[in-house]
Amino acid sequence: MERIISFTHLRNVRDLGGLVTMDGRAIRPGLVYRSDSLHKLAGPHAAEDRERYAKLGVRTVIDLRHDWEIDQQGRAPLDTAPVWHNLSIEHRSYDQYHQSFEDVARFFADRYAETAEDGREEVRAVLELVADPQSVPVLYHCKGGKDRTGIITALILSMLGVPEDDIVADYALTEAVRTVLLAEWEAAGGKPLPPGTGAFRAPARAMELFLAELARDYGSVSGYIASTGADPEDLTRRLRALYLEREF
């Protein structure tokens, strides 16, 4: 199944529908999406994309970016969803662009661990929104749809019971659109990037390390969810009831 939904200006939109859980149930399509920033839908040049996006029927948008990113880049146009939330799960900004890495996977896994630790309150709020039937169809995004969006996706898919290999593979799909994301960066006037830059890299090993170390530090993904103040059993039950195909 082709996972990345084709747009001209949005580069990294995916429906989580179709992924299958360990007990053989599939995520229902058309209910939960991950994306790069919807500010790219603003302006007359994006009219075709906005028509295509409107067909998704998104009711709730969750913007994971910092306030300063929204100020600089813009927010989603008002007509992209009736409900819009800004919940910045990342508290410590970092530069993945203007440095080279010997171990890019290790770098990102460490940043994801920091984000999960610092942003517990916001992570809980995001997951509660995603688990709310009044939110669907729901779309969450950051800037490139890779890091903050990848963390939230990994948590959602873990609670739904998707195998870890498939969670990692979904994360790594950003590598398929890295070239266009880099071109977009350059077209927007971004500074030249050094060889070995980590910009828009999504090595599978980064997500493998993040999930393994989350389990090490909290006992399990459920243990981490509990550390946010949420009830992991209740949250998992609601997510599965909302997003998984019915058992027959």
Side-chain angles (χ1 to χ4, degrees):
M1 181 179 68
E2 186 67 32
R3 295 295 321 287
I4 298 174
I5 302 174
S6 178
F7 288 87
T8 300
H9 300 284
L10 292 175
R11 310 296 191 180
N12 208 7
V13 183
R14 291 174 234 164
D15 185 344
L16 299 191
L19 291 173
V20 178
T21 65
M22 288 180 281
D23 59 1
R25 297 172 67 188
I27 300 175
R28 296 163 58 199
L31 294 181
V32 56
Y33 299 94
R34 56 177 294 172
S35 178
D36 48 333
S37 178
L38 296 187
H39 81 273
K40 299 173 185 178
L41 293 176
H45 67 284
E48 185 177 335
D49 270 6
R50 288 176 70 163
E51 288 182 12
R52 189 174 299 135
Y53 169 89
K55 294 177 181 178
L56 302 180
V58 173
R59 173 172 174 75
T60 304
V61 168
I62 305 170
D63 191 333
L64 304 175
R65 293 176 298 163
H66 294 279
D67 290 344
W68 60 264
E69 290 179 286
I70 296 172
D71 289 341
Q72 287 181 3
Q73 300 157 14
R75 57 153 285 175
L78 294 177
D79 62 354
T80 51
V83 183
W84 180 83
H85 298 273
N86 177 214
L87 291 162
S88 176
I89 66 171
E90 181 186 278
H91 292 204
R92 287 179 258 184
S93 299
Y94 57 90
D95 183 4
Q96 61 181 274
Y97 302 96
H98 301 113
Q99 54 183 309
S100 300
F101 299 94
E102 291 184 5
D103 190 345
V104 67
R106 179 74 269 166
F107 173 84
F108 282 121
D110 290 343
R111 303 294 77 74
Y112 300 165
E114 290 173 355
T115 300
E117 179 182 358
D118 296 345
R120 293 179 195 180
E121 180 178 344
E122 292 83 3
V123 167
R124 175 183 178 178
V126 171
L127 295 177
E128 290 287 355
L129 283 169
V130 173
D132 185 347
Q134 298 301 313
S135 295
V136 297
V138 59
L139 180 149
Y140 52 91
H141 73 85
C142 53
K143 181 180 179 181
K146 175 176 79 78
D147 302 312
R148 291 162 285 188
T149 297
I151 292 168
I152 293 297
T153 301
L155 296 174
I156 292 170
L157 295 181
S158 292
M159 286 187 286
L160 288 175
V162 172
E164 184 171 313
D165 285 351
D166 292 336
I167 296 172
V168 170
D170 179 76
Y171 165 79
L173 271 179
T174 295
E175 289 280 354
V177 296
R178 183 174 186 244
T179 300
V180 292
L181 289 171
L182 285 170
E184 185 178 78
W185 163 271
E186 294 171 359
K191 296 178 181 179
L193 299 173
T197 177
F200 307 114
R201 289 292 312 278
R205 183 63 178 156
M207 183 54 64
E208 291 171 352
L209 287 168
F210 170 64
L211 290 172
E213 291 164 7
L214 200 71
R216 178 198 67 196
D217 295 340
Y218 298 94
S220 63
V221 169
S222 290
Y224 168 72
I225 298 301
S227 80
T228 71
D231 180 337
E233 291 185 5
D234 177 66
L235 192 58
T236 297
R237 177 188 59 78
R238 289 188 283 133
L239 285 168
R240 289 176 64 86
L242 182 57
Y243 292 110
L244 296 187
E245 292 179 344
R246 295 181 180 179
E247 295 178 287
F248 295 99

